[in-house]
Amino acid sequence: MKMDLCELSPSYVRSIAPYQPGKPISELAREMGLDERAIVKLASNENPRGIGPRTRAAIEAAIGDVARYPDGNGFELKQALAKRYHVDAASIVLGNGSNDVLELLALAFLGPGRAAVLSQHAFAVYPLATQARGARSIVVPAKDYGHDLEAMARAIDDETYVAWIANPNNPTGTFARHGEIEAFLKRVPERVLVVMDEAYNEYLTPDLRGDSVKLLKRHPNLVVTRTFSKAYGLAGLRVGYALAHASVADVMNRVRQPFNVNSIALAAAVAALDDMEFVARSYAENLQGLRQLEEGARGLGLEYIPSHGNFLTIRVGKAGETYKRLLRRGVIVRPVGGGYGLPEHLRVTVGTAAENERFLAALAASLKE
Ligand SMILES: Cc1ncc(COP(=O)(O)O)c(C=O)c1O
């Protein structure tokens, strides 16, 4: 065959640089001939606590039903979420992780001739999802590593239909407060969907967690997305959701795969949502771990970006080199150069106290090399 089949794909798809996930433990073990148990992975902002006993029991109970298709409407999970957040079930869209929900938003509201506005250093999926639909990304320079919402509002043009906002943002951990968000919502045209990606919401202090849901009633163009991958500990099962105006949810549901969330994930999410104690402990232990990492970084004379998430982004200088040295010591973190424009930083997920200690010791040794 003479033709390069890749050429058949639209040019905007061909020019996508794939998302770089954190290196899996098994891959590093294979590459370095290391024992998997000796490897610490702090590269994907997962919950080091695993899952609680009630969630585990729900998963085990759901296994018996895997021969059947899941409930494509996710009735039980939507009911539980509707009750928790005092919203209508018709305004909830479930996804195979919140990443899926972000893709559904792009699929439903972006396309050639349209644009989305986003911040420099924002979560890498936004430009990917935008480009995959043939839409244009308007990237606005960050302010103190965070979203410059005033500049983002100014950057909106006639073709802009989506504003992506990660709050807190990954990988910078920056957070825009309620007042700033509300001022942004008041400024943007109604036509622009404001997507507030709150994957790390449960790691915020409790008084800051609920604010955006209250804004939904006043701003029909606001969409809030959240996930069970982080504080709830279900990253491997893939469940996330969007809270939106019912007509936005309706369009998203039209482009959704009929069974996009699997039955074990649905059952696990219902149980996890109910286990508030697990989330409270995840929050408290994360805070302790963050302080441990901050103190360790300061002890090594390193700057870091103050974080509202379950990760800390530390300025190490030659990050690519340090990343490789850490790998040789069996510690996986995340370089944030290429896709994120932070070539001197490394992002480290808050692990258990022992994992954090292991990382800090490996970092100290790597910097001396
Ligand atoms: C800001 C942000 N949004 C969304 C996601 C997607 O997570 P998931 O698809 O597991 O819900 C992540 C994952 O790291 C994230 O950091």
Side-chain angles (χ1 to χ4, degrees):
M1 188 183 284
K2 285 200 198 84
M3 180 189 263
D4 177 0
L5 295 177
C6 180
E7 300 285 322
L8 297 175
S9 158
S11 62
Y12 57 80
V13 172
R14 272 182 283 137
S15 55
I16 290 174
Y19 180 81
Q20 297 287 342
K23 190 184 256 312
I25 290 178
S26 53
E27 191 178 298
L28 181 64
R30 267 195 314 275
E31 286 172 1
M32 301 267 177
L34 294 171
D35 182 344
E36 286 195 14
R37 284 164 304 185
I39 294 174
V40 170
K41 182 186 175 210
L42 299 173
S44 301
N45 300 343
E46 296 145 342
N47 190 332
R49 305 187 63 235
I51 51 171
R54 281 197 266 160
T55 304
R56 185 177 297 275
I59 290 170
E60 279 162 10
I63 289 174
D65 264 341
V66 290
R68 299 200 181 280
Y69 282 101
D71 172 4
N73 286 320
F75 178 81
E76 238 193 297
L77 178 57
K78 281 191 192 169
Q79 289 301 312
L81 288 167
K83 202 164 147 209
R84 169 68 54 82
Y85 296 117
H86 308 289
V87 295
D88 205 273
S91 68
I92 303 172
V93 181
L94 302 180
N96 185 36
S98 61
N99 201 144
D100 185 26
V101 164
L102 299 173
E103 292 286 349
L104 294 179
L105 283 159
L107 190 53
F109 294 96
L110 292 175
R114 293 190 174 204
V117 66
L118 58 117
S119 174
Q120 178 192 20
H121 311 314
F123 184 45
V125 162
Y126 312 148
L128 292 182
T130 303
Q131 196 177 338
R133 309 297 161 222
R136 178 169 52 92
S137 286
I138 303 171
V139 183
V140 175
K143 192 163 107 188
D144 298 330
Y145 297 108
H147 293 54
D148 183 344
L149 291 174
E150 281 183 27
M152 284 177 71
R154 279 197 302 273
I156 287 170
D157 62 19
D158 290 347
E159 292 182 346
T160 308
Y161 282 80
V162 171
W164 301 111
I165 298 176
N167 209 33
N169 182 41
N170 166 23
T172 57
T174 47
F175 178 68
R177 291 188 178 264
H178 186 77
E180 290 173 72
I181 297 292
E182 186 146 41
F184 181 77
L185 283 163
K186 282 187 181 146
R187 262 187 89 168
V188 305
E190 267 180 24
R191 178 197 75 238
V192 177
L193 274 194
V194 177
V195 181
M196 287 266 294
D197 174 352
E198 299 189 336
Y200 301 97
N201 178 265
E202 294 80 7
Y203 291 112
L204 294 171
T205 53
D207 58 309
L208 294 180
R209 285 179 208 164
D211 283 351
S212 56
V213 177
K214 287 183 214 142
L215 287 172
L216 281 170
K217 297 219 166 31
R218 290 201 295 280
H219 299 277
N221 57 334
L222 174 64
V223 181
V224 174
T225 67
R226 294 200 182 159
T227 185
F228 284 91
S229 297
K230 308 295 175 185
Y232 291 97
L234 297 180
L237 282 181
R238 318 298 303 124
V239 206
Y241 58 95
L243 307 177
H245 188 277
S247 20
V248 171
D250 175 40
V251 184
M252 291 170 72
N253 275 317
R254 292 187 213 184
V255 289
R256 180 177 67 77
Q257 281 183 41
F259 303 109
N260 62 333
V261 186
N262 72 74
S263 50
I264 296 182
L266 286 170
V270 171
L273 189 68
D274 203 33
D275 196 349
M276 290 315 286
E277 198 193 319
F278 181 84
V279 175
R281 288 194 54 186
S282 296
Y283 164 74
E285 287 178 19
N286 181 63
L287 214 54
Q288 278 176 6
L290 252 187
R291 296 293 100 88
Q292 184 187 359
L293 291 175
E294 288 170 354
E295 216 170 278
R298 278 199 301 273
L300 293 169
L302 300 173
E303 282 172 29
Y304 54 83
I305 309 172
S307 173
H308 290 267
N310 65 340
F311 54 88
L312 190 68
T313 296
I314 305 175
R315 188 172 196 167
V316 296
K318 287 185 182 147
E321 271 302 303
T322 311
Y323 169 68
K324 285 189 207 138
R325 288 173 187 170
L326 287 169
L327 285 182
R328 287 199 286 272
R329 292 181 164 81
V331 177
I332 314 173
V333 296
R334 182 73 76 95
V336 283
Y340 288 108
L342 294 164
E344 296 194 347
H345 290 74
L346 288 176
R347 189 196 70 196
V348 56
T349 300
V350 176
T352 61
E355 287 171 336
N356 300 336
E357 200 46 61
R358 193 52 215 282
F359 159 73
L360 289 168
L363 181 60
S366 300
L367 293 172
K368 278 194 209 126
E369 232 179 86

